[in-house]
Amino acid sequence: MGSTGNIKQLVGYGVIDQVVQSGQKIGMGTGSTAFYAMERIAEKLNTGELTDIKIVPTSFQTTTELQNRGIQVYSMNDPQIGGQLDLAIDGADEVDPDFCLVKGGGAAHFLEKLVEYNARDFYVIIDESKLVDHLGEAFAVPVEVIPEGRTTVFRLLEQLGAQVELRQAVKKAGPVVTDNGNFILDARFPGGVQKATGLSVASAEARIQSMVGVLEVGLFSRGVNAVYVGRNNGSVDVLLPQKP
């Protein structure tokens, strides 16, 4: 049995070793597994095995981690990025059998989606506990809302079949405040998103996104190239989507 840290390291290192090449523009995700991917990129840059890598971070946390490792960071608006990336690498809070995701446990899903929906390729890195049959049942779907829209969106999410809570901060009085200065509503869907709403994941994503006051929802229905899964026995499986 591998420890959680060792498993995440195997996954983070494995995806970098297998998919990252010199000269690429890369979106780098947020979280503990992404930490190891950043560690591996830093190692390869320091040895010269990788060169000319341009990285767009998906959160302040990721920005700080990269800068502490001496890696220059870019924004999607940077002329050298031009709003498009070769690939993005990130974790997920849940992954269903169709490779749709719930993200936003770290309240960074707006920038994560901006980066990952504008990357040619997308690789997801998780441990096996994140594989689920139905999204949004065990782990709530985060919805970032403009503060003035909190009550309105709360009501609309309830009408869609969700059980909703305003996410509260830890070691701070009051709600979580995102990097964008907004609040997070956590929406849990009994039986999963599809059962509770009667919609596909992609349609539920679009419906919630269309609510006035919503900046972004943590449902990700864009296609992925592969999901790297760390197993408790210390192995890493690479799950590939079925081709139509």
Side-chain angles (χ1 to χ4, degrees), residues 30-31 59 61 93 103-109 112 139 142 167 176-179 184:
T30 302
S59 68
Q61 179 190 51
D93 299 302
K103 293 178 50 56
H109 55 283
E112 288 170 345
F139 193 95
R167 187 183 298 183
V176 166
V177 179
T178 71
D179 289 353
I184 296 291

Side-chain angles (χ1 to χ4, degrees), residues 4-76:
T4 300
N6 289 340
I7 292 169
K8 291 182 177 182
Q9 183 182 50
L10 287 171
V11 173
Y13 277 37
V15 71
I16 298 303
D17 290 345
Q18 293 181 29
V19 307
V20 173
Q21 301 176 8
S22 295
Q24 289 181 322
K25 299 183 293 184
I26 300 170
M28 181 54 64
T30 302
S32 55
T33 309
F35 167 87
Y36 288 107
M38 289 182 266
E39 183 176 79
R40 188 61 164 169
I41 283 183
E43 287 182 3
K44 291 196 164 193
L45 287 171
N46 288 335
T47 63
E49 189 174 348
L50 287 176
T51 59
D52 190 29
I53 295 291
K54 295 180 175 62
I55 300 180
V56 176
T58 59
S59 68
F60 180 78
Q61 179 190 51
T62 301
T63 297
T64 301
E65 183 61 40
L66 290 167
Q67 290 175 333
N68 287 343
R69 294 181 178 279
I71 299 174
Q72 182 178 355
V73 297
Y74 295 81
S75 77
M76 293 296 287

Side-chain angles (χ1 to χ4, degrees), residues 70-123:
I71 299 174
Q72 182 178 355
V73 297
Y74 295 81
S75 77
M76 293 296 287
N77 292 325
D78 194 292
Q80 296 183 72
I81 300 298
Q84 293 182 316
L85 300 167
D86 295 304
L87 61 93
I89 298 168
D90 203 356
D93 299 302
E94 291 187 330
V95 180
D96 77 3
D98 295 321
F99 292 174
C100 293
L101 318 174
V102 170
K103 293 178 50 56
H109 55 283
F110 168 74
L111 191 50
E112 288 170 345
K113 187 171 284 190
L114 178 66
V115 166
E116 290 151 18
Y117 276 47
N118 288 287
R120 182 192 66 225
D121 298 329
F122 182 27
Y123 297 90

Side-chain angles (χ1 to χ4, degrees), residues 161-199:
Q163 299 169 348
V164 189
E165 293 183 348
L166 176 65
R167 187 183 298 183
Q168 298 295 319
V170 177
K171 297 184 179 180
K172 168 193 171 294
V176 166
V177 179
T178 71
D179 289 353
N180 307 303
N182 298 317
F183 295 159
I184 296 291
L185 296 179
D186 284 322
R188 186 168 279 103
F189 292 87
V193 169
Q194 290 167 288
K195 181 177 179 180
T197 66
L199 301 169

Side-chain angles (χ1 to χ4, degrees), residues 119-233:
R120 182 192 66 225
D121 298 329
F122 182 27
Y123 297 90
V124 178
I125 48 178
I126 59 171
D127 64 77
E128 64 181 339
S129 69
K130 307 300 176 63
L131 296 172
V132 300
D133 292 328
H134 309 287
L135 298 181
E137 182 176 25
F139 193 95
V141 176
V143 182
E144 182 169 351
V145 297
I146 307 300
E148 184 62 23
R150 172 177 57 87
T151 300
T152 298
V153 175
F154 195 110
R155 175 177 56 82
L156 292 172
L157 288 170
E158 286 187 323
Q159 291 176 0
L160 198 58
Q163 299 169 348
V164 189
E165 293 183 348
L166 176 65
R167 187 183 298 183
Q168 298 295 319
V170 177
K171 297 184 179 180
K172 168 193 171 294
V176 166
V177 179
T178 71
D179 289 353
N180 307 303
N182 298 317
F183 295 159
I184 296 291
L185 296 179
D186 284 322
R188 186 168 279 103
F189 292 87
V193 169
Q194 290 167 288
K195 181 177 179 180
T197 66
L199 301 169
S200 68
V201 173
S203 295
E205 178 184 5
R207 174 75 65 84
I208 297 170
Q209 177 62 56
S210 71
M211 295 175 181
V212 176
V214 171
L215 179 65
E216 192 53 79
V217 58
L219 291 172
F220 284 56
S221 63
R222 71 145 289 177
V224 304
N225 292 75
V227 177
Y228 284 67
V229 183
R231 301 291 185 180
N232 289 332
N233 63 9

